[in-house]
Amino acid sequence: MVIHIRGLQPLQDGTDPDPYVKLYLLPDPQKMSKRKTKAARRTCNPTYNEMLVYERIPRGDLDQRVIHLRVLGDGAFWENTLLGETFIPLKRLVPGQHWVGWHKLGPPGSDFAH
């Protein structure tokens, strides 16, 4: 579940972005695992409260998977701006337990993992 993001930077023109979250469950060479939230409007501290669900993944397979979370600014004419990203290894996930925490976004193009 994607709940909140805080501290995004304004766009180069000084306006607040229209951010949304895009997730991939890696490895995913065909990009079949893409999930997205709706875009929040003109904010650097959006709230989503959206459940992004992956079904039918064997438990043993989760240890080998990583969530690639990207925050993008919804732009005009299909031009979206990457605002930050992180990689979240699922090997720390304990089945049946809720896992709540803040994950630091690294700059675009970094291999930032938390």
Side-chain angles (χ1 to χ4, degrees), residues 81-100:
T81 304
L82 182 58
L83 303 172
E85 62 186 340
T86 193
F87 295 86
I88 305 167
L90 293 181
K91 61 185 170 191
R92 296 182 294 188
L93 186 66
V94 177
Q97 289 187 348
H98 294 294
W99 185 32
V100 178

Side-chain angles (χ1 to χ4, degrees), residues 1-107:
M1 179 167 202
V2 178
I3 301 173
H4 301 289
I5 297 174
R6 61 182 174 202
L8 295 174
Q9 298 299 311
L11 300 173
Q12 288 181 350
D13 64 5
T15 62
D16 286 346
D18 293 333
Y20 68 96
V21 175
K22 187 185 289 188
L23 296 179
Y24 290 98
L25 190 58
L26 302 179
D28 184 15
Q30 289 83 29
K31 298 196 184 252
M32 302 277 295
S33 66
K34 180 173 79 171
R35 304 287 188 274
K36 294 186 337 183
T37 65
K38 295 176 182 158
R41 295 292 169 218
R42 300 287 178 215
T43 181
C44 289
N45 300 292
T47 297
Y48 297 100
N49 292 321
E50 289 189 44
M51 186 78 69
L52 303 174
V53 177
Y54 292 101
E55 297 178 325
R56 297 187 182 104
I57 298 171
R59 284 191 183 186
D61 199 24
L62 284 178
D63 286 348
Q64 309 303 316
R65 299 291 189 112
V66 173
I67 291 177
H68 181 197
L69 183 145
R70 304 175 83 204
V71 179
L72 297 110
D74 199 13
F77 306 111
W78 302 98
E79 293 184 26
N80 297 328
T81 304
L82 182 58
L83 303 172
E85 62 186 340
T86 193
F87 295 86
I88 305 167
L90 293 181
K91 61 185 170 191
R92 296 182 294 188
L93 186 66
V94 177
Q97 289 187 348
H98 294 294
W99 185 32
V100 178
W102 290 97
H103 300 278
K104 186 172 176 67
L105 294 176

